[in-house]
């Protein structure tokens, strides 16, 4: 697949691609912006047109256009390949026939099936009446391309085979099921209202089918049937309606999360367009991640029974952990947004505006018990504190501690003490490894403080010339020694400044190339950084390291008895004194 990625990369410019997602500002030879992957006010996300790469110095990740798109849109490699190939005007069939056979055909089959179902709906009075009774307008049905699956055993199968699709591929797309006995294929969806599920770039990847009420009694497969997981359909990542609503979510910075497809469609009709549905599956960290690119706040609604509360509580915890705000929407006794839209048209918008912060909701629920006894108070307060503790922002934690103190009469300090004694919530978030089989791995680094300082100082050298490093060369971290050597080697004695572009310094060593690239990207970012202060910090790190090394040698000498401890000790004192002087600015 690497050839396909190379060909696409040669046709697309990283700046053009990323401009569709980020506001890039020029920074020397590079571009910078605030990072979409972590919260920040000042930019540390750099894009290098000459290297066709990006890197965030805040969360220390970087890569190319593929890794960017996969991470930003939260999609798999093949989806990114498809989107970028389209952008580059390249036909995937030609450059990537194997991948196309494996994945591309699945998109085509789902697209064709959507067309089939949609036309069946148009012909069926039964289905059209059902939708009308539920309050769905024709234009909504058309916009979301709802469909109907016929009652026959293999009508879709026959249709698709006539369109020259291989039954094996139709099976892989999840649209037919293989019978256990004779191994024949039959349609997975029958007599169901069909909701096509589109991925965030608007491609049909699967379906959710609801049985019509008149067939419910005799149906064995359940009220709802979904496409199974396929190479292009990932339930834990997809949100129903997101392809259409994301522009509205971006605009309002707010997402309304509902449960069912019908809830979404009815909300949409009510003019609430910043809406997504988890389509009956439990909310995942991936869902939240997708939303977090566009929204600061997620408004959720859940059933008022215990099971509904448990699901809602879990969702709120996930949202808070991702550093987004959560609000709870109360529907005042109505079952769901779809029912509300029918019973009280126009009311949903008002109720959304009245949604309360999730923490407020927790307080109301937990603290209603608190008045009974000290034991109850302790239990309730601990529950509330366990929710506050999840929040990554200290400012927010502080705010809610104050609120909790007001509501319970327990002093803030006491609450803080109680909170720190609580072990962290056992809620575990699965680590995302969706990049594991990608041919363009996401580069993730962790540098020591000394390495970070060395990187910054070398970046300053790019701007100010090699002379700026005088007296500091031996302090540069080991990892960056080769970069320094390279800087010195490549320059004639009379030339004060370094080449303007990292590419002019390209070597045959990929690791060195990468470090050079980071140093150059950083130089566009840190133009204003004070070199003297950086040098002071590096000297401190250097002396600290030296001191520790001497200390260990002295320990060894003491155990050994033969080594000359005296000279080590005097060296140790000298370094300690120098460190004190630097720290105190003498
Ligand atoms: Zn970042």
């Amino acid at each position: 697949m690497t050839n396909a990625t190379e060909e696409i990369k040669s046709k697309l410019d990283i700046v053009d691609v990323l401009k569709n997602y980020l506001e890039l500002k020029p920074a020397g030879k590079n571009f910078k912006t605030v990072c979409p992957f972590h919260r920040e006010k000042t930019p540390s996300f750099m894009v290098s047109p000459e290297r066709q790469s990006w890197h965030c110095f805040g969360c220390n990740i970087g890569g190319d256009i593929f890794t960017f798109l996969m991470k930003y849109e939260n999609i798999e490699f093949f989806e990114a390949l498809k989107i970028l190939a389209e952008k580059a005007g390249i036909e995937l069939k030609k450059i990537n026939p194997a991948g196309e056979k494996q994945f591309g055909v699945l998109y085509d089959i789902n697209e064709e099936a959507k067309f089939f179902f949609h036309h069946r709906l148009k012909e069926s009075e039964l289905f059209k009446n059902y939708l009308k009774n539920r309050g769905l307008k024709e234009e909504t049905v058309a916009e979301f391309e709802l469909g109907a699956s016929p009652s026959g055993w293999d009508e879709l199968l026959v249709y698709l085979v006539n369109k020259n699709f291989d039954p094996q591929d139709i099976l892989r797309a999840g649209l037919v099921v293989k019978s256990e006995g004779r191994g024949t294929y039959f349609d997975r969806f029958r007599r169901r209202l069909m909701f096509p599920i589109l991925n965030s770039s608007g491609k049909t990847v699967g379906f959710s089918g609801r049985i019509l009420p008149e067939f419910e009694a005799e149906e064995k497969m359940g009220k709802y049937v979904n496409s199974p997981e396929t190479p292009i359909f990932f339930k834990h990542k997809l949100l129903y309606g997101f392809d259409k609503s994301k522009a509205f979510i971006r605009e309002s910075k707010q997402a309304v999360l509902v449960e069912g497809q019908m809830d979404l469609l009815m909300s949409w009709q009510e003019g609430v367009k910043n809406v997504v549905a988890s389509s009956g599956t439990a909310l995942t960290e991936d869902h939240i991640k997708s939303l977090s690119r566009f929204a600061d706040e997620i408004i959720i609604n859940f059933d008022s029974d215990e099971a509904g509360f448990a699901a809602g509580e879990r969702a709120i915890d996930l949202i808070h952990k991702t550093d987004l705000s959560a609000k709870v929407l109360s529907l005042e006794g109505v079952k769901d947004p779809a029912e509300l839209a029918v019973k009280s048209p126009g009311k949903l918008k008002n109720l959304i505006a009245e949604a309360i912060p999730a923490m407020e909701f927790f307080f109301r629920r937990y603290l209603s018990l608190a008045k009974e006894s000290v034991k109850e108070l302790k239990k309730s307060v601990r529950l509330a504190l366990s929710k506050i503790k999840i929040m990554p922002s200290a400012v927010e934690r502080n705010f809610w501690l104050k609120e909790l103190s007001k509501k319970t009469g327990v002093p803030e300090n006491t609450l803080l003490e109680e909170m720190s004694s609580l072990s962290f919530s056992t809620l575990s978030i699965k680590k995302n490894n969706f990049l594991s089989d990608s041919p363009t791995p996401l580069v993730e680094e962790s540098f020591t403080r000394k390495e970070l300082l060395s990187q910054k100082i070398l970046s300053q050298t790019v701007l100010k010339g090699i002379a700026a490093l005088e007296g500091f060369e031996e302090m540069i971290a080991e990892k960056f020694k080769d970069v320094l050597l390279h800087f010195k080697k490549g320059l004639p004695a009379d030339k004060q400044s370094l080449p303007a572009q990292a590419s002019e310094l390209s070597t045959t060593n990929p690791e060195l190339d990468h470090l050079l690239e980071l140093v150059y990207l950083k130089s566009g970012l840190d133009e204003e950084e004070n070199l003297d202060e950086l040098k002071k910090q590096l000297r401190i790190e250097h002396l600290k390291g030296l001191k520790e090394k001497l200390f260990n040698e002295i320990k060894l000498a003491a155990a050994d008895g033969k080594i000359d401890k005296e000279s080590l000790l005097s060296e140790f004192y000298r370094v300690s004194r120098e460190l004190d002087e630097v720290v105190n600015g003498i």
Side-chain angles (χ1 to χ4, degrees), residues 35 37-38 40 44-45 56 58-61:
C35 176
F37 306 126
H38 81 279
E40 63 174 8
S44 32
F45 187 97
C56 171
C59 43
N60 259 320
I61 50 170

Side-chain angles (χ1 to χ4, degrees), residues 407-423:
K407 287 194 160 59
T408 56
V410 180
E412 270 175 71
N413 277 345
T414 314
L415 290 175
L416 199 61
E417 199 182 315
E418 186 82 19
M419 186 165 83
S420 57
S421 75
L422 292 178
S423 63

Side-chain angles (χ1 to χ4, degrees), residues 108-114 116 154-167 170 173 175-176 187:
D108 296 342
I109 289 173
N110 274 290
E111 186 65 26
E112 197 61 64
K114 180 176 74 181
F116 171 83
D154 57 6
E155 291 182 50
L156 176 66
L157 175 67
V158 169
Y159 173 82
L160 290 173
V161 169
N162 278 334
K163 292 272 169 189
N164 286 327
F165 289 111
D166 184 335
I170 304 171
L175 289 167
V176 293
D187 291 354

Side-chain angles (χ1 to χ4, degrees), residues 177-186:
V177 180
K178 203 172 177 178
S179 73
E180 275 175 25
R182 292 163 58 199
T184 47
Y185 297 127
F186 58 91

Side-chain angles (χ1 to χ4, degrees), residues 415-446:
L415 290 175
L416 199 61
E417 199 182 315
E418 186 82 19
M419 186 165 83
S420 57
S421 75
L422 292 178
S423 63
F424 220 93
S425 160
T426 48
L427 178 92
S428 72
I429 292 184
K430 227 178 80 198
K431 198 160 163 35
N432 192 333
N433 59 354
F434 65 91
L435 287 164
S436 56
D437 54 355
S438 146
T440 48
L442 198 68
V443 183
E444 196 158 7
E445 343 237 355
S446 58

Side-chain angles (χ1 to χ4, degrees), residues 48-173:
S48 161
E50 48 161 327
R51 305 292 297 229
Q52 290 294 305
S53 70
W54 59 274
H55 191 91
C56 171
F57 288 92
C59 43
N60 259 320
I61 50 170
D64 58 14
I65 45 176
F66 286 92
T67 46
F68 176 81
L69 208 65
M70 287 165 71
K71 195 163 166 56
Y72 190 89
E73 296 274 13
N74 205 7
I75 54 178
E76 302 294 319
F77 172 69
F78 191 78
E79 265 182 83
L81 190 69
K82 210 170 162 62
I83 293 170
L84 291 172
E86 221 161 82
K87 236 181 235 249
I90 291 175
E91 241 188 289
L92 262 192
K93 278 191 187 80
K94 283 190 188 137
I95 57 164
N96 186 238
E100 185 60 21
K101 188 158 173 37
Q102 201 188 346
F103 300 102
V105 71
L106 301 180
Y107 289 98
D108 296 342
I109 289 173
N110 274 290
E111 186 65 26
E112 197 61 64
K114 180 176 74 181
F115 180 81
F116 171 83
F117 292 140
H118 192 54
H119 277 263
R120 283 307 178 103
L121 176 72
K122 280 186 185 163
E123 292 162 3
S124 165
E125 290 308 314
L126 184 66
F127 279 93
K128 280 197 284 194
N129 278 334
Y130 171 76
L131 290 174
K132 211 167 141 194
N133 290 338
R134 292 292 310 260
L136 223 51
K137 292 178 190 154
E138 269 178 41
E139 66 220 52
T140 314
V141 174
E143 191 171 7
F144 285 84
E145 301 167 286
L146 301 196
S149 51
S151 54
W153 284 98
D154 57 6
E155 291 182 50
L156 176 66
L157 175 67
V158 169
Y159 173 82
L160 290 173
V161 169
N162 278 334
K163 292 272 169 189
N164 286 327
F165 289 111
D166 184 335
Q168 285 295 335
D169 289 334
I170 304 171
L171 181 70
R172 280 201 307 127

